[in-house]
């Protein structure tokens, strides 16, 4: 079969989860690859279909957000959280961002604000009625909540949601089940759904929409409107150090292997 969409020297990423992982060479059809700009930073391109895709799809697929709307998210300093902040800012959407109480809270808060965060709160502040009232008064109640933590934090975030608001769970860092008070389901009509990026790529990898997403995110990076998450690169033989860094509390960087 003739290859017409690609040429030697092109930069490509896999259109299917896991394709090409842990190997130096691969024989596959051109339909299983997505071409990306050679100007795109290589580390960002390698992770484009993971964290940036997750952030993009959660803003796109669950609630029709308009300019001036508000969303709330926990784990805001994660790679997904950083992308949510920037994509939301580009769309004119305000973000309430929750991070854990920590010794370098002020530094992380400033970092997220520089990315475009509307407001940054600690998980302790999230539970304080005075802080909640101040945020709601300043930004309005959120239409969308993005949950990567789980546990009681879900209930805390849902206190900021308007009637009919949607909570999208895409992670469970606390390893605790989501706390869903019946009153907020019954009387406020809150909706809880999940998002699994792997499933979306399995069903849509190589589609026109996937191509549109990749091109759109790539243009924003190349134009300087979006910056990729902070990363730490490790050689494969340094895997022990990489794993230790991954499990280090309160890190803002993503660990990647360079083969």
């Amino acid at each position: 079969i003739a290859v017409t969409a690609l040429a030697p020297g092109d930069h490509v990423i896999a259109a299917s989860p896991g394709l090409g992982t842990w190997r130096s060479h691969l024989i596959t059809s051109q339909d299983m690859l997505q071409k990306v700009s050679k100007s795109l930073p290589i580390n960002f391109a390698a992770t484009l279909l993971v964290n940036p895709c997750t952030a993009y799809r959660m803003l796109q697929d669950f609630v029709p957000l308009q300019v001036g709307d508000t969303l709330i998210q926990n784990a805001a300093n994660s790679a997904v959280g950083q992308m949510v902040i920037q994509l939301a800012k580009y769309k004119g959407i305000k973000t309430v961002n929750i991070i854990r109480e920590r010794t370098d809270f002020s530094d992380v808060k400033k970092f997220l604000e520089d990315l475009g965060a509307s407001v940054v709160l600690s998980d302790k502040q999230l539970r304080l009625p005075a802080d909640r009232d101040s945020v709601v008064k300043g930004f309005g109640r959120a239409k969308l909540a993005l949950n990567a933590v789980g546990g009681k934090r879900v209930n805390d975030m849902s206190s900021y949601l308007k009637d009919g608001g949607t909570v999208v769970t895409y992670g469970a860092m606390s390893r605790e089940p989501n706390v869903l008070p019946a009153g907020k389901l019954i009387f406020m009509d809150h909706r809880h759904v999940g998002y699994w990026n792997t499933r979306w790529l399995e069903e849509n990898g190589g589609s026109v929409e996937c191509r549109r997403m990749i091109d759109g995110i790539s243009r924003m990076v190349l134009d300087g409107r979006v910056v990729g998450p902070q990363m730490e690169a490790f050689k494969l033989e340094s895997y022990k150090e990489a794993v230790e860094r991954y499990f280090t509390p309160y890190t803002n960087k993503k660990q990647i292997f360079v083969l």
Side-chain angles (χ1 to χ4, degrees):
I1 300 176
V3 176
T4 57
L6 300 171
D10 284 346
H11 287 188
V12 298
I13 58 178
S16 178
L19 181 67
T21 304
W22 302 114
R23 71 186 83 182
S24 59
H25 295 76
L26 171 70
I27 298 175
T28 187
S29 70
Q30 62 181 339
D31 295 337
M32 298 304 297
L33 302 172
Q34 298 272 13
K35 183 178 177 179
V36 296
S37 171
K38 294 180 182 179
S39 299
L40 203 62
I42 194 70
N43 289 348
F44 182 85
T47 58
L48 196 160
L49 285 180
V50 184
N51 305 126
C53 173
T54 299
Y56 184 98
R57 297 262 51 101
M58 291 194 299
L59 293 180
Q60 189 77 14
D61 294 347
F62 295 96
V63 174
L65 295 169
Q66 307 296 327
V67 172
D69 283 341
T70 299
L71 69 80
I72 184 170
Q73 66 166 340
N74 53 30
N77 58 311
S78 67
V80 172
Q82 293 176 39
M83 289 301 301
V84 166
I85 289 170
Q86 295 177 88
L87 295 176
K89 180 184 178 183
Y90 175 71
K91 293 174 175 286
I93 298 163
K94 296 170 288 187
T95 56
V96 179
N97 301 277
I98 313 305
I99 61 175
R100 287 182 292 176
E101 188 71 42
R102 52 205 290 158
T103 56
D104 62 344
F105 177 84
S106 296
D107 293 337
V108 178
K109 177 181 178 181
K110 184 180 185 306
F111 169 70
L112 296 179
E113 288 174 341
D114 289 343
L115 290 180
S118 304
V119 63
V120 180
L121 301 175
S122 71
D123 50 359
K124 291 184 179 180
Q125 291 175 304
L126 180 69
R127 296 188 290 271
L128 298 177
D131 285 289
R132 180 179 65 239
D133 293 344
S134 176
V135 169
V136 170
K137 182 178 179 180
F139 300 97
R141 289 192 175 274
K143 293 176 68 175
L144 176 66
L146 305 178
N147 168 47
V149 178
K152 296 179 179 178
R153 280 78 170 182
V154 179
N155 180 37
D156 297 335
M157 280 206 309
S158 65
S159 297
Y160 288 71
L161 276 182
K162 60 174 52 181
D163 287 7
T166 297
V167 179
V168 179
T169 293
Y170 68 100
M173 294 180 183
S174 70
R175 299 183 181 180
E176 298 173 357
N178 289 355
V179 175
L180 312 177
K184 290 176 181 175
L185 296 173
I186 298 169
F187 303 114
M188 299 185 71
D189 193 26
H190 286 176
R191 305 163 192 272
H192 289 258
V193 297
Y195 176 74
W196 185 30
N197 194 54
T198 298
R199 178 190 292 119
W200 192 92
L201 291 172
E202 287 175 345
E203 295 175 351
N204 299 279
S207 67
V208 172
E209 175 57 24
C210 189
R211 177 77 265 167
R212 183 184 297 115
M213 175 182 65
I214 291 171
D215 289 344
I217 294 174
S218 298
R219 281 195 301 271
M220 285 188 278
V221 172
L222 295 174
D223 292 345
R225 290 174 287 176
V226 167
V227 297
Q230 296 178 311
M231 301 185 191
E232 292 179 297
F234 295 87
K235 294 290 187 181
L236 192 57
E237 53 265 29
S238 302
Y239 72 92
K240 289 185 179 180
E241 182 184 357
V243 172
E244 288 174 357
R245 287 292 297 152
Y246 175 79
F247 285 106
T248 299
Y250 305 110
T251 181
N252 298 320
K253 295 183 180 180
K254 187 175 185 65
Q255 291 72 41
I256 60 173
F257 285 122
V258 179
L259 302 180

